[in-house]
Amino acid sequence: MTLRVVLEYDEVIDSWAAYYPEMSGINSCGATQEEAAANFKEAAELFFEPSDFLVQEKSKVLQVVV
């Protein structure tokens, strides 16, 4: 999967932010562009990692590949 990541510098805190504009919930930061990008990659992998969860008896679970 390929994501478009925005890297944005914040002069006030002297840090880089990395975020995915199409979906809230995946973002990270770092002292350098490279660190912010690496931290974002890790955050995205964790976000999309499958997890075990309980589903009510009459519910359905669909698997969607993007």
Side-chain angles (χ1 to χ4, degrees):
M1 176 187 307
T2 302
L3 303 176
R4 181 180 64 164
V5 179
V6 176
L7 293 172
E8 203 170 81
Y9 181 70
D10 186 334
E11 293 179 9
V12 175
I13 60 173
D14 189 31
S15 182
W16 287 86
Y19 61 93
Y20 179 48
E22 281 80 15
M23 179 186 294
S24 62
I26 307 176
N27 49 57
S28 195
C29 62
T32 64
Q33 291 181 43
E34 294 79 13
E35 183 180 3
N39 290 343
F40 176 86
K41 183 178 186 290
E42 181 180 357
E45 288 170 349
L46 291 170
F47 184 87
F48 288 110
E49 183 176 88
S51 62
D52 295 332
F53 55 93
L54 298 175
V55 178
Q56 293 180 359
E57 187 177 320
K58 294 183 179 182
S59 299
K60 293 182 180 181
V61 177
L62 302 177
Q63 180 173 338
V64 178
V65 178
V66 294

